[in-house]
Amino acid sequence: PATGQFFLQNTSEARANYLRAAEYRNTNWFKELFSNSIQHNHSVSITAGTEKAQYYASVSAMYDPGWYKKSDVERYTANFNANYKLSSKLSAGLIGNASYRKQTAPGTISSTTNPVTGEVSRAFDINPYSYALNTSRALDPNTFYTRNYAPFNVFHELENNYMDLNVVDFRMQASLSYKPINKVELTALGAIKYAATTQEHNVKDNSNQAEAYRAMGTTAIRDRNNYLYTNPDDIYALPVTVLPNGGIIDRRDNRMFGYDFRASASYNDVFNEDHILNLYGAMEVNNTERHYTWFRGWGMQYEMGEIPSWAYAVFKKSQEENSQYYEMTNTQERSAAFVGVATYSWKKRYSITGTYRYEGTNRMGKSRSARWLPTWNVSGAWNVHEESWFEKLSPALSNLTFKLSYSLTADRGPSFVTNSRVVIKAENPWRPSADVTESALYIDALANEDLTYEKKHEFNFGLEAGFLDNRINFSFDAYTRRNFDLIGIVSTEAVGGEQSKYGNVAKMKSSGIELSLSTVNIKTKDFTWSTDFIYSYMKNEVTELNTMNRMYEYLSGNGFSMVGYPRGSIFSIPFMGLSGEGLPTFLDQDGNISVSGINVQEYDPEKLKFLKYEGPSEPTNVGSLGNMFKYKRLSLNVFITYSFGNVVRLDPIFSNEYNDLTSMPKEFYNRWTVPGDEKRTTIPVIASKIQNKNDANLKKAYQAYNYSTERVAKGDFIRMKEISLGYEFPSNIIQALRVSNLSLKLQATNLFLLYADKKLNGQDPEFFNTGGVASPMPKQFTLTLKVGI
């Protein structure tokens, strides 16, 4: 604008200078988009009371400017607790807490899965982590480039395409206890809860997403831009914009209100100092009401006083697509339960406990046997250290307890599954012309009167032991479980119009062990060194499955997996090497070796046997190791976590097409480049235009490579989770400052990985990148000052 000329001259020299600058540019996107920030967390608590009344109140405020841009959070909380002794027999309690959270996040929309290739994508994705990981370092962070046929700069987009989230949470609980006699206590408890969440996605006027809806600068762009609208009633119509002015506001509101009530009675007695009996009975009812609304406003002019300016074409287009611009949903969940517990103990040596619970909920099937479910638990313990002869083992063996239990427990399953009765919804049927509309009712889900709880039989054995005056404490638990009536999607014969629906479709068995070891290694007057070690092992296997999954579910690790394998198993497409042109080849579902013959929608169990089982997506071995060192008033804690036994899918970085905005990871150094390279590398070629033209399904081949046996790594890791240093100030300083206590603590968390599979190439084994607002856990350094007055 200043000179009336183009920024770059159309000469060889100008083009060479421009490209040379890009060649030597090395933008560190992580440094540009991520930064160190200081998080503030302040809290004040007050305790007061008398013999007849005690009070506790606290307030706190937290502000986190965020690890990356547009990720700041503010949270304010308040808590109140009061207990009253109204008489020797009557007491009351009141507990209340409230919180408010205000948060900003990058603008994001739901991800979609390509049914042909299995590729998971998210339109207009501006997730800072994904952008930093996948964007070319040759780009200038201060320059606008072209994306979706419109100008794009990630910093500008984050400022003009973001979400505002507001969350309010409130709960109030009151209780009343009455003791008619010393051994009996009657209690009534009531609580109300309220939560409201508001999410506003602001797509401002000049954002790339808004500009994409009106990008039609040339005929080529007009014909290729899928966000434009072509009037089907006019055979001569050209694509036009449905957003000529302004941006888009997308708002979602969730509101929940509920109440809980429980009445209980307990009886506690001791007979002849040897027999202890505890009885407990209760009934409870719960009610939760949820209200959801969604609205999308087109043409919101953020820069013109926030006045909408919409085009009628957007409504015509929506009617023709049979899509809505607002929604409302109301749901209500009710439940009731009756509980009984009895415990008997003899001389504190032997004890046995029995629990019985009978509950029902409107989420389950209408059949009485499905909606109402009895569950129970029987457990016993032997405190060996209470035996008279145990003293002979002391102090080498300080205490010893054996525990045993067997139970039937249940879970209501996923919250969105509720088809106890036929679900009838309204819709506007699709019509070829927008001026012909009508409303209709349709069956969204057939009734499943026998839909029942997910159940589990569990047998447990455990022991607790202490050695050398409890300098060493050891606990061990072993369990075996039999899960049945697990809820999932079942394929039907579609007699009632449904090809698939949710039902009780699977059985599973699992077993595992859990152990912990705590030791005081050194203990002197001024120095103490203690160690805590935790280890758990778990394995499971699907034993029955009355449904069929697509190949994609097996590749991604979703669903129930296959019979005979763990839940959430990951399977891979067998990679068969590169072709003479550098293209990946695979063993496909028909037993052939092909380039693009993989069908991720295949669901025939026989044809899916060619997939290779890689391992479970969930770790089988997890635990931690902590060491605490104390010297006088100084303490040092070193805490390590570990996980083994699972596999992870490497990031899907391979595609049949790339553009100038895409980064090239280290794997591309070893890619196929000339004939003969297929003998030395498994990294496919960057496909040429001719190769894409010769094979219209080449995209399927590269997506299959992302899901192949070449793109799997072990999920094993050892992580330095925390190092903290604390100091308790001496009494003379505390007295001089006129405070009751004073301490300081410096804490560093999520520092680094001590071990991980080299094949991960820096990918975090605990993080699954889905775009949107997902990002790995950052390193955090926390300074805490506690003052008591």
Side-chain angles (χ1 to χ4, degrees):
T3 63
Q5 298 178 346
F6 289 104
F7 179 70
L8 292 177
Q9 296 295 320
N10 188 17
T11 64
S12 298
E13 182 180 2
R15 289 195 296 271
N17 291 335
Y18 176 81
L19 294 175
R20 188 175 296 112
E23 179 184 359
Y24 289 100
R25 190 180 296 124
N26 191 20
T27 303
N28 187 337
W29 289 109
F30 281 100
K31 185 177 180 180
E32 297 287 342
L33 290 167
F34 291 77
S35 62
N36 297 327
S37 61
I38 297 178
Q39 178 187 115
H40 300 267
N41 198 337
H42 308 277
S43 63
V44 177
S45 61
I46 299 175
T47 303
T50 63
E51 183 180 347
K52 292 188 175 182
Q54 300 85 39
Y55 304 94
Y56 171 83
S58 68
V59 293
S60 66
M62 186 273 287
Y63 175 69
D64 181 5
W67 186 30
Y68 54 84
K69 295 184 181 298
K70 285 295 177 183
S71 61
D72 56 293
V73 181
E74 296 178 41
R75 185 183 67 231
Y76 306 92
T77 61
N79 296 278
F80 177 77
N81 190 353
N83 294 296
Y84 302 94
K85 188 176 181 180
L86 303 177
S87 69
S88 60
K89 295 184 177 182
L90 188 64
S91 61
L94 186 66
I95 299 175
N97 55 70
S99 67
Y100 169 72
R101 177 166 59 90
K102 179 182 178 182
Q103 182 176 353
T104 305
T108 182
I109 58 178
S110 301
S111 61
T112 59
T113 301
N114 188 315
V116 177
T117 65
E119 178 186 13
V120 179
S121 60
R122 192 187 296 267
F124 305 109
D125 189 10
I126 53 173
N127 174 271
Y129 178 76
S130 298
Y131 189 86
L133 193 69
N134 300 315
T135 302
S136 172
R137 295 166 70 103
L139 301 183
D140 186 348
N142 300 314
T143 299
F144 279 81
Y145 295 91
T146 300
R147 178 170 160 178
N148 302 311
Y149 303 111
F152 176 83
N153 177 275
V154 65
F155 304 101
H156 178 270
E157 191 66 13
L158 287 170
E159 291 297 324
N160 289 272
N161 188 350
Y162 58 88
M163 292 190 298
D164 287 324
L165 295 96
N166 291 270
V167 180
V168 176
D169 200 340
F170 171 80
R171 181 180 177 89
M172 182 66 70
Q173 175 181 302
S175 62
L176 187 66
S177 297
Y178 176 64
K179 284 189 173 183
I181 59 175
N182 189 42
K183 300 176 182 180
V184 176
E185 182 175 9
L186 306 176
T187 302
L189 183 148
I192 59 172
K193 51 191 176 182
Y194 173 81
T197 302
T198 299
Q199 175 185 300
E200 282 188 354
H201 183 184
N202 298 282
V203 182
K204 290 192 171 182
D205 312 46
N206 298 320
S207 65
N208 175 261
Q209 184 172 342
E211 293 287 356
Y213 279 93
R214 43 182 172 261
M216 47 185 180
T218 66
T219 302
I221 295 176
R222 185 191 291 266
D223 292 340
R224 290 175 172 81
N225 189 353
N226 294 326
Y227 297 107
L228 299 179
Y229 168 66
T230 303
N231 187 356
D233 299 328
D234 184 357
I235 61 174
Y236 302 105
L238 294 175
V240 296
T241 178
V242 296
L243 189 65
N245 299 295
I248 306 169
I249 180 170
D250 191 295
R251 181 181 173 112
R252 299 172 189 269
D253 288 270
N254 286 277
R255 191 169 67 241
M256 183 276 291
F257 176 80
Y259 63 81
D260 307 307
F261 176 78
R262 182 173 70 238
S264 63
S266 62
Y267 173 81
N268 303 293
D269 202 357
V270 179
F271 303 94
N272 299 325
E273 298 183 355
D274 292 336
H275 307 275
I276 302 174
L277 178 65
N278 300 309
L279 300 176
Y280 176 84
M283 62 81 62
E284 62 180 38
V285 292
N286 313 95
N287 181 76
T288 302
E289 298 174 358
R290 290 182 171 87
H291 177 76
Y292 166 77
T293 58
W294 169 80
F295 168 79
R296 176 171 294 156
W298 295 84
M300 172 57 70
Q301 299 181 101
Y302 289 90
E303 298 185 0
M304 293 290 289
E306 298 178 341
I307 299 297
S309 174
W310 46 268
Y312 87 97
V314 71
F315 296 100
K316 188 173 186 297
K317 180 174 181 287
S318 298
Q319 283 185 318
E320 292 164 353
E321 292 177 344
N322 202 28
S323 61
Q324 306 297 331
Y325 72 94
Y326 67 87
E327 293 178 0
M328 183 176 69
T329 303
N330 291 287
T331 60
Q332 186 175 43
E333 181 179 342
R334 293 177 176 177
S335 62
F338 305 89
V339 183
V341 182
T343 301
Y344 170 74
S345 175
W346 183 69
K347 289 187 175 182
K348 299 182 181 180
R349 299 177 188 173
Y350 315 102
S351 64
I352 184 170
T353 300
T355 302
Y356 181 83
R357 180 182 178 92
Y358 188 65
E359 68 173 294
T361 173
N362 64 338
R363 280 180 47 196
M364 297 295 104
K366 192 169 63 173
S367 168
R368 183 178 180 85
S369 61
R371 176 164 293 189
W372 288 91
L373 176 73
T375 57
W376 46 266
N377 174 278
V378 178
S379 62
W382 177 26
N383 296 319
V384 184
H385 52 270
E386 296 291 342
E387 299 286 354
S388 58
W389 48 263
F390 189 81
E391 295 182 359
K392 299 178 182 179
L393 304 177
S394 181
L397 187 59
S398 310
N399 66 77
L400 180 63
T401 299
F402 292 98
K403 299 178 294 182
L404 204 65
S405 70
Y406 185 67
S407 64
L408 169 65
T409 57
D411 187 86
R412 298 174 187 178
S415 60
F416 55 85
V417 178
T418 169
N419 55 354
S420 58
R421 302 180 65 181
V422 59
V423 179
I424 300 177
K425 293 184 177 181
E427 68 170 350
N428 296 320
W430 181 84
R431 294 292 182 264
S433 179
D435 60 354
V436 181
T437 61
E438 59 183 326
S439 298
L441 298 177
Y442 71 98
I443 298 177
D444 180 69
L446 295 173
N448 185 355
E449 295 186 355
D450 296 320
L451 178 70
T452 189
Y453 298 78
E454 295 183 325
K455 305 181 188 69
K456 175 178 63 179
H457 280 292
E458 181 172 347
F459 175 77
N460 283 274
F461 168 77
L463 68 87
E464 296 178 358
F467 305 90
L468 303 177
D469 286 331
N470 291 328
R471 289 280 296 270
I472 301 175
N473 286 284
F474 174 77
S475 67
F476 172 83
D477 288 279
Y479 64 86
T480 177
R481 299 168 180 164
R482 294 295 183 269
N483 301 74
F484 58 101
D485 286 336
L486 298 178
I487 297 175
I489 295 179
V490 58
S491 301
T492 71
E493 297 180 355
V495 175
E498 275 188 303
Q499 292 183 341
S500 61
K501 67 181 302 177
Y502 282 98
N504 304 102
V505 300
K507 294 182 180 179
M508 183 175 69
K509 65 179 181 180
S510 60
S511 59
I513 60 172
E514 298 175 357
L515 62 88
S516 66
L517 178 65
S518 299
T519 62
V520 181
N521 308 313
I522 300 176
K523 187 173 184 179
T524 65
K525 178 182 178 182
D526 296 327
F527 179 75
T528 303
W529 170 29
S530 60
T531 301
D532 291 293
F533 174 75
I534 297 175
Y535 169 78
S536 66
Y537 169 79
M538 185 273 292
K539 67 175 182 179
N540 63 72
E541 178 185 333
V542 177
T543 57
E544 183 178 323
L545 184 62
N546 299 318
T547 188
M548 292 184 292
N549 288 327
R550 300 170 300 171
M551 183 191 300
Y552 173 71
E553 272 82 30
Y554 296 128
L555 300 177
S556 62
N558 297 324
F560 282 109
S561 182
M562 295 183 183
V563 173
Y565 294 94
R567 179 190 61 183
S569 296
I570 292 181
F571 294 83
S572 291
I573 300 169
F575 175 70
M576 305 303 291
L578 301 178
S579 69
E581 297 182 25
L583 300 175
T585 64
F586 314 93
L587 179 67
D588 64 21
Q589 63 279 354
D590 298 318
N592 303 318
I593 297 178
S594 63
V595 172
S596 55
I598 297 294
N599 177 19
V600 297
Q601 293 296 310
E602 181 63 64
Y603 59 88
D604 186 343
E606 291 298 320
K607 288 191 174 184
L608 293 178
K609 289 182 178 180
F610 81 103
L611 295 174
K612 179 186 176 183
Y613 170 66
E614 301 284 4
S617 60
E618 300 174 349
T620 56
N621 303 267
V622 296
S624 63
L625 174 65
N627 283 280
M628 174 66 76
F629 305 90
K630 291 185 178 180
Y631 178 71
K632 294 185 177 179
R633 297 180 179 85
L634 198 65
S635 61
L636 173 66
N637 181 31
V638 180
F639 186 66
I640 295 172
T641 59
Y642 62 88
S643 174
F644 295 91
N646 66 310
V647 296
V648 295
R649 185 77 66 189
L650 298 179
D651 288 338
I653 59 176
F654 291 91
S655 177
N656 64 312
E657 291 181 325
Y658 305 95
N659 56 45
D660 292 337
L661 306 179
T662 307
S663 66
M664 298 295 175
K666 291 182 179 180
E667 288 94 332
F668 284 73
Y669 278 120
N670 299 319
R671 71 184 185 278
W672 188 101
T673 54
V674 295
D677 283 352
E678 63 271 12
K679 297 179 181 179
R680 67 165 185 86
T681 184
T682 59
I683 306 300
V685 67
I686 297 178
S688 65
K689 289 185 177 181
I690 294 178
Q691 288 174 316
N692 276 285
K693 183 178 180 181
N694 292 338
D695 189 346
N697 294 318
L698 199 58
K699 188 177 185 69
K700 294 171 59 177
Y702 279 82
Q703 287 304 317
Y705 185 78
N706 288 324
Y707 291 118
S708 72
T709 52
E710 286 294 302
R711 302 296 296 168
V712 174
K714 294 181 179 180
D716 306 345
F717 70 86
I718 302 175
R719 186 184 298 275
M720 179 60 70
K721 191 66 176 179
E722 177 186 332
I723 298 178
S724 62
L725 184 66
Y727 181 70
E728 297 281 347
F729 286 85
S731 57
N732 59 338
I733 296 179
I734 293 176
Q735 292 174 2
L737 296 174
R738 297 182 178 181
V739 296
S740 60
N741 60 73
L742 181 64
S743 65
L744 192 67
K745 182 179 180 181
L746 178 62
Q747 180 181 16
T749 57
N750 202 43
L751 288 175
F752 50 83
L753 286 169
L754 295 167
Y755 166 78
D757 190 352
K758 292 181 178 180
K759 196 174 180 181
L760 289 169
N761 285 329
Q763 181 177 329
D764 192 326
E766 283 191 288
F767 173 66
F768 180 65
N769 187 15
T770 58
V773 296
S775 65
M777 286 293 295
K779 297 178 183 177
Q780 288 187 328
F781 300 89
T782 306
L783 179 65
T784 304
L785 175 65
K786 289 186 177 181
V787 182
I789 300 176

